[in-house]
Amino acid sequence: MSADDGQASCVQASHVHEEHAVFWAVRGVASDLEVAGIQRSLAPGQGLFVPAGTPHGASRASTTALVVLFVDPGAWVEAPTQVASVVVNAALRELLVHLAEFAMPKEQRLRAQRVCLDLIADEPHVSLALPVPRDPRIEVIARAILSDPADDRSLEDWAYLTSASARTVVRAFRAETGMTFAEWRSCARMSAAVELLGEGIPVGVVARRVGYATASAFSAAFHRMMGRPPHRFLPERGVDVR
């Protein structure tokens, strides 16, 4: 088991590792991870298990909050068999940082590593997968919404602006993302919301920034999609992991 900040071992271009990888955010929100062509956003406490051999790309920027933990497949026979959301709670983060920064006898380190694996728990509906379309007919729409999630133009409006038919836009979104336009926009809004909440921005302000008229409507939609209320994605207090 080894931890790395992604600077050397992971690159933005798609690649694979012989080891399993567990990605997590050391601070704030990390949204610069792509696994099997799907963008992922990880808020504090969230992790993503990526099995050995799975194509992925991760930011090498010095500002990234993303950290990756590598695990020898032979050392973790209980590991998930596919990409899965996991919990990386404060206790696990502190222990991983301690293992990365301090030397200790081999047997003690092995015991601590086993504790780390035991602390990683399954947590469905915790990380947000956002497929970004590549089809040029709708990529411009997707990029515009990603830059301004509060943009409330209808599918027909977007079709007119891009000189395409509404039917073409509908089919392209379904083919490229597996979602309807409305479903994809909701996912994009929640992805933006997770990032804003991770920066400590109040729920009411986040609601307006991602296109909801009221905090209650946003909270209901967020809880329905993410499985947790928005306030659970605000930064943890009293935990300082560097």
Side-chain angles (χ1 to χ4, degrees), residues 25-91:
V26 70
R27 63 183 183 279
V29 172
S31 56
D32 38 18
L33 172 64
E34 184 175 299
V35 179
I38 298 176
Q39 273 191 306
R40 301 275 182 164
S41 294
L42 301 177
Q46 300 179 347
L48 190 72
F49 173 82
V50 178
T54 303
H56 64 278
S59 173
R60 296 182 62 187
S62 60
T63 55
T64 186
L66 199 64
V67 173
V68 58
L69 172 72
F70 293 109
V71 184
D72 185 331
W76 194 8
V77 294
E78 307 90 353
T81 58
Q82 56 189 359
V83 176
S85 299
V86 295
V87 172
V88 182
N89 59 29

Side-chain angles (χ1 to χ4, degrees), residues 43-47 85-89 121-127 190 194 197 218-234 236:
Q46 300 179 347
S85 299
V86 295
V87 172
V88 182
N89 59 29
D122 293 333
E123 176 99 358
H125 311 302
V126 71
S127 69
M190 295 311 165
V194 166
L197 291 166
F218 164 69
S219 295
F222 188 96
H223 199 165
R224 186 167 54 250
M225 181 173 289
M226 300 300 294
R228 293 180 177 184
H231 69 83
R232 292 285 299 277
F233 286 74
L234 292 168
E236 297 177 6

